[in-house]
Amino acid sequence: MLSSIKSIAILAFVASATAGLIQRDPGAGTSHLGDDNKDLVRKDSQGQVHCKNQYSLNYNDMVYAERSLEDQFDSNGSFSGKSVSATYGSVVAYGCNYGNGQTITSSWLAAQYQLIAQNCGTTSPGWISYPDWKASYGIDSADSGFC
């Protein structure tokens, strides 16, 4: 029975994240794992989350950059170039294509940014990589390189 309750809780979380209902919480802790001078990798069931703990990003710029990129995929969509991005203020939200194109939805993209926030902290840059898909999605300083 306990197993069933855990399964239901996990399904509820995944459904709410996929629907884009989970948002970044500026009041939440920004715990980081390990040494602040290294990029960190933490496996997630949906991909590998990588955290850059060297600096923090402006929270409002992060939210607007993420939403701007998500809006580009409101009616579902794809991109076949090397990257797609949206910049707001000091922050860039991006997607990288290392293969033959990517097809995503805005709600799925919102869930990826939530996973980054949960693993890296609400104002830390990071990205989530999908080696099998030859893709990654992330958030970083607008003057940082990506892809």
Side-chain angles (χ1 to χ4, degrees):
M1 175 135 172
L2 185 57
S3 173
S4 296
I5 293 171
K6 286 182 182 177
S7 296
I8 291 170
I10 291 169
L11 288 174
F13 171 77
V14 170
S16 65
T18 303
L21 298 176
I22 297 176
Q23 301 296 319
R24 286 187 180 268
D25 179 3
T30 56
S31 62
H32 299 288
L33 304 172
D35 184 351
D36 284 347
N37 295 321
K38 296 181 180 178
D39 290 346
L40 302 172
V41 178
R42 187 172 184 185
K43 275 199 172 243
D44 182 87
S45 62
Q46 297 182 29
Q48 289 182 342
V49 176
H50 308 260
C51 303
K52 292 175 73 174
N53 295 327
Q54 294 91 347
Y55 50 91
S56 294
L57 300 174
N58 178 286
Y59 175 80
N60 289 330
D61 288 356
M62 288 177 72
V63 170
Y64 286 113
E66 289 170 357
R67 287 184 184 160
S68 181
L69 187 59
E70 291 161 16
D71 288 347
Q72 294 180 37
F73 298 94
D74 250 355
S75 301
N76 302 338
S78 61
F79 66 100
S80 57
K82 181 179 177 183
S83 66
V84 62
S85 65
T87 301
Y88 187 89
S90 62
V91 175
V92 62
Y94 61 87
C96 302
N97 169 40
Y98 307 109
N100 294 322
Q102 305 299 322
T103 301
I104 59 174
T105 65
S106 60
S107 60
W108 181 86
L109 190 55
Q112 304 319 295
Y113 289 125
Q114 181 57 34
L115 288 170
I116 294 167
Q118 288 172 345
N119 286 282
C120 301
T122 58
T123 61
S124 291
W127 72 97
I128 186 165
S129 61
Y130 292 90
D132 292 345
W133 299 351
K134 298 179 181 176
S136 62
Y137 300 88
I139 189 88
D140 208 338
S141 173
D143 60 2
S144 295
F146 56 91
C147 300

